[in-house]
Amino acid sequence: MGHQWGMVIDLDRCTGCEACVVACHAENNIATVGDKQAAGGRAKHWIRVERYYEGDFPDVKVKFMPVLCQQCDAAPCEPVCPTFASYHTDEGLNGQIYNRCIGTRYCANACPYNVRFFNFYNPAWDKPLDLQLNPDVSVREVGVMEKCTFCLQRIKAAEIEAAAEKRDVKDGEIQPACVQSCPTNAMVFGDLSDPHSRASRMAASSRGNKLMEELGTRPKITYLQRESWNGDENA
Amino acid sequence: MPPVEKNRMQRRDFLKISAITGASAALDACGSPDHQLIRFIPEEDLIPGVATWKPSVCTVCPAGCGLLVRVMEGDAEVVRNGQLGLMQMGLAKKLEGNPAHPINQGKLCPRGQAGLQVTYHPDRIRTPLMRSGARGSGEFKAISWDEAMKRLMAQLSSLHSGNSHGRLVFLTSSLRGQRKNIAVTFTGAFKNSQYVEFAFFDERVVRTANAASFRHDAPPTVDLSQANYIISFGANFLGTWNSPVAQSLGYGQMRQGRPGTRGKFVQFEPRISQTGANADEWFACAPGAEGLLALGIAHVLIADKLRPASSAGAAGELVEGWSGGLAEYAPEKIEAQTGVKAETITRIAHEAAAHAPAVALIGDAAAAHTNSLFNTVATNALNALLGSAGKPGGIQFGSVWNSGSGKSGVQESSGAAAVQALAAQLESDPSSVGALLIYGANPVFATPAAWRVRQSLEKAPLIASFGSFIDETSILADLILPDHSSLESWIEDTPDSGSVRTVVSVAPPAMLPLHDTRPMPDVLLDLAHELGGNLATALPWKTYDDAIQADFAALYKEKGSKDAKAADDFWSNAQQQGGWWGPEEPAAANEPGGKSTAVPVKYAPAQFDGNPGEFPFYFMPFPSQMLYDGSLAGLPWMQEAPDPMSTAMWGTWVELNPSTANKLGIKQADLVEITSQHGTLRAPTMITPGIAPDVIAMPIGQGHESFTRYASNRGANPISILAPISVAGTGALAWAATRVKISRVGEGSVILFGASLREESPDLKHR
């Protein structure tokens, strides 16, 4: 079997700082939409940090959870696409072929994780902000659905380099932008088909679970639950 | 041969026509007359599509993280010698943390990521400007550098020669390294001159307290990676406080990096911060009572014989009543004032004692009450008692490299009080200031309106700014001599926290400049050489990079290096890896047996401006995760990044407790008016359980009147209504010491990412 890319996110390390959110914008040429469009729910964040409040003052608890495309093995977004723009790559990613997309938005409706974003307008950058654009990533035009790719451009670059050097991609060699930036090392990316990869080993943690797994989506992101302090641990 | 001739002509015509049509097709496509621009000679050694990585230094906050800049070939419109043209050049595409840098070790926060947009900002000042309308009107006309320098020289030379009355004042943000040395030395060469540093979050209270407790005038370097217990009083150390990336790295390690050991984290603050949200236990404590809590915990440690009082050494002696065991701070006695139960205080003291190393932190609002010097000194004493001062798993201090001799003889002052004094001086005698130079600081935005900084600056005879943007302060300038962006400049930095190693970051420009700008230190050096005399001798370097190289020669002489045989190697190695870092040797937190010369501090209740009857709520501004102190509000990535605690974007809000809202008949997203004794502002509400019922909180950062197309006239500025009172004994603004009242004005709206408070705007269209 080829690579099966996956991710582990340790919620006990995540502090909700959102370095991942901005890193993703910078890496993937995600356009800002401005206040009016954002007010209408059209802001695009391929990764977001959800926060959950529990309890009333003063017994308040807050939990953070970064949510991005879960790269499901049984992805609800894929079979609904009439043009096969949403498809499953042989490395297990939920791919999106922008040139095939005709903007039915069926995939966004089908996705239970709310991680697909539609371009209601052509993206625009006030000059010279366009110079910040990453030449490795295509800019999506109006009428096209876009989503997290696990930084496919970085995966491909590493695979090409490894192939040129006649070796396999090393564990940890590929870091999507969110993983690279994360100040607490809460995110780990790796090959789930390799049982020895750091991601595979961490995914087996007893703290691990998957987001809305009961829907049968078979996500490839494992969340390690936040722990509570147990003073005896240190004894 | 006529047919051939004819043929040639035809081909040439054909080429001409196709060039024109091709160009106009391109024009249609991108809406820009690129084809009219001349092309400059391209930068060499660029391979299209292949990225190179260049070190740099992040300048968006004082943490001083190291960067690696991804540079790729591209076409940019640039100005060279006043001529606009197209240039194929290396362009910064992405900022990553520099893995070799001891502070951030390859990581970067959201603000650092967005630093890229400063360079490419559409509203950056592209050329020197001269005021053409009334002061503050925002009307400027472009002038040449020759003209700008001539105008500034005229004023400076008459000041320098003593022909004209008045002093030179240089007002800057917190600077370090040779950049600061050049600015200070330049200023010092003028008679009666004054160098003033101002930044809203300058950690002045923490610095003053650390100087008294530990003889280190610096924020602490916090080693969370080995801590087993963290007690934080209001410090947003995972968000914006001190060195957040270094602290986040340690925090991740503290939580899950040591198999079998997971540290505990307890936070005390009246409004839950992004950092507090990660605590194992979060306690609302009364504003200004943090010092009481620290000493309450210390009392339990001493009384229950968990730690001897004497073990705190000089840091303990600074607290009045320390050797007596702090009986007046017994948990039962401070319960009512702090709002934290006595048994909780006792339990936390016992837990901390049992789980060494335990560390206590204080910052942000807890260090911005009138009594915060006491709060901070008390926290320092607690650290010393816990055995965490200067120890792994505690707070440490690195030795900091001081660029230059530091013997400029200039009157140097920093902090809010210095700006207040400057404003008062300008107000009473404007002509006493012959010229005011401003770099990096925006005091008109970041000081209480009650200080009348804007009105006083308006009276200054000459203001010259080195700013990259027209903001509330630079809009008052007569001359603007725009600086390069940090990615376009040589850069050197000597951060004083974040790593116990001595860090001297350095990097050559990561890319060529886009606009007709010049680095501020180079402008000062040029001026110095032209003015001559003592200035030319004090500032012998031709350029800023010469000055940095000289600093590295001095550094090499003092510190040497194992891996470089000569100073030249040392210098080139440093440029390659983004700086030089010393060995891992923290400086002693205090000399053994050393007695502090500072006077012992005593508890005094925090004072709040406004009487509780009329102004029933404590007003707590807090640093914005994305906009920091407001200086990043101009970046679209920062405006559209959701606030971590609320997911709010593109605006501001005030937070209040549901019971308070209920009592006042205020609903979610209502527009309310917040009034202090010093001003009024309006903002929509965000009702949240994470705030005490007697507190109203508001993020700092929005409310700019003039600061780029993205930030101007958006939201309100909480700093503007603050009371003009300071933290006793420090000269810092007590920005958490204002009381306010609140009333409903009508319906408002908050833009959120996600579903909960989404406001569908009715006229939304799509193509």
Side-chain angles (χ1 to χ4, degrees), chain B residues 57-123:
Chain B
V57 182
C58 185
T59 55
V60 301
C61 93
C65 293
L67 297 178
L68 279 187
V69 186
R70 184 173 194 241
V71 178
M72 290 183 87
E73 171 273 342
D75 272 356
E77 279 180 23
V78 298
V79 174
R80 294 291 178 267
N81 299 321
Q83 166 79 52
L84 183 69
L86 266 187
M87 186 170 183
Q88 188 188 14
M89 59 183 271
L91 294 168
K93 292 293 181 182
K94 177 86 171 60
L95 307 183
E96 304 285 2
N98 179 354
H101 201 278
I103 290 180
N104 57 321
Q105 299 167 42
K107 300 302 181 177
L108 205 57
C109 77
R111 300 175 297 281
Q113 290 281 350
L116 185 66
Q117 292 198 314
V118 173
T119 298
Y120 299 126
H121 203 289
D123 296 330

Side-chain angles (χ1 to χ4, degrees), chain B residues 72 91 112 119 127 143 151 187 212 232 242-243 297 317 323 327 367 381 402 456 503 520 522 541 552 610 645 668 694:
Chain B
M72 290 183 87
L91 294 168
T119 298
T127 165
I143 54 174
R151 283 176 181 273
T187 314
S232 162
N242 194 9
S243 198
I297 295 169
E317 283 160 30
S323 50
N402 275 321
S456 63
V503 175
M520 182 278 285
D522 282 326
W541 313 290
F552 267 74
M645 299 301 287
Q668 193 73 276
D694 56 354

Side-chain angles (χ1 to χ4, degrees), chain B residues 736-760:
Chain B
T738 306
R739 284 182 160 278
V740 294
K741 60 185 174 188
I742 179 169
S743 60
R744 187 182 182 278
V745 179
E747 280 185 10
S749 69
V750 185
I751 302 173
L752 297 184
F753 186 68
S756 51
L757 259 186
R758 181 181 295 176
E759 303 267 317
E760 286 286 351

Side-chain angles (χ1 to χ4, degrees), chain B residues 106-188:
Chain B
K107 300 302 181 177
L108 205 57
C109 77
R111 300 175 297 281
Q113 290 281 350
L116 185 66
Q117 292 198 314
V118 173
T119 298
Y120 299 126
H121 203 289
D123 296 330
R124 244 183 91 186
I125 301 171
R126 299 169 185 219
T127 165
L129 299 176
M130 192 180 87
R131 180 163 65 85
S132 58
R135 201 170 242 181
S137 64
E139 288 165 36
F140 292 94
K141 68 170 190 189
I143 54 174
S144 68
W145 272 100
D146 284 349
E147 166 113 34
M149 293 294 270
K150 209 173 77 198
R151 283 176 181 273
L152 187 56
M153 264 304 286
Q155 184 78 355
L156 290 181
S157 62
S158 71
L159 287 178
H160 187 242
S161 59
N163 287 345
S164 96
H165 166 72
R167 54 213 274 173
L168 172 72
V169 179
F170 200 169
L171 174 61
T172 73
S173 54
S174 304
L175 303 183
R176 294 190 290 235
Q178 283 290 55
R179 190 176 294 259
K180 173 166 184 172
N181 187 33
I182 291 170
V184 170
T185 310
F186 182 87
T187 314

